[in-house]
Amino acid sequence: IHPAPYCQKDALEFAQSLQQHGFEADDRIVLVDTAATKATIESRLRRLANNLEAGDSLFLYYAGHAFAKGAESYLCSGDTQ
């Protein structure tokens, strides 16, 4: 998979824009490059889902490669081979 050179910059700028709109650092999870592994992403999403309460909002921003195989679509993580 070819590198996607602007993904890290885009993700960090999105996180910064959330901060400018009042979302605290403790309420944001930013995973880029080698930290954005399949296992880490799935683990963080499970924990987030278990901790959401009524009235909470969850924003998910993804910048990177994706592909389709048959009728299924996939997002690539930092450790996709």
Side-chain angles (χ1 to χ4, degrees):
I1 298 174
H2 297 288
Y6 302 105
C7 292
Q8 180 181 10
K9 180 180 177 287
D10 291 349
L12 295 173
E13 286 183 7
F14 182 76
Q16 185 178 30
S17 72
L18 289 176
Q19 181 180 1
Q20 293 169 352
H21 288 90
F23 291 88
E24 300 295 327
D26 290 346
D27 294 330
R28 292 178 278 133
I29 298 170
V30 181
L31 301 173
V32 296
D33 296 333
T34 57
T37 64
K38 180 181 185 292
T40 301
I41 293 167
E42 289 177 342
S43 173
R44 295 291 181 101
L45 285 172
R46 270 192 306 275
R47 279 191 266 162
L48 283 170
N50 289 333
N51 291 317
L52 287 176
E53 298 177 0
D56 285 348
S57 296
L58 173 65
F59 297 95
L60 176 67
Y61 178 85
Y62 174 80
H65 293 293
F67 65 94
K69 184 175 181 182
E72 298 292 323
S73 297
Y74 301 90
L75 301 177
C76 295
S77 59
D79 58 345
T80 298
Q81 297 180 2

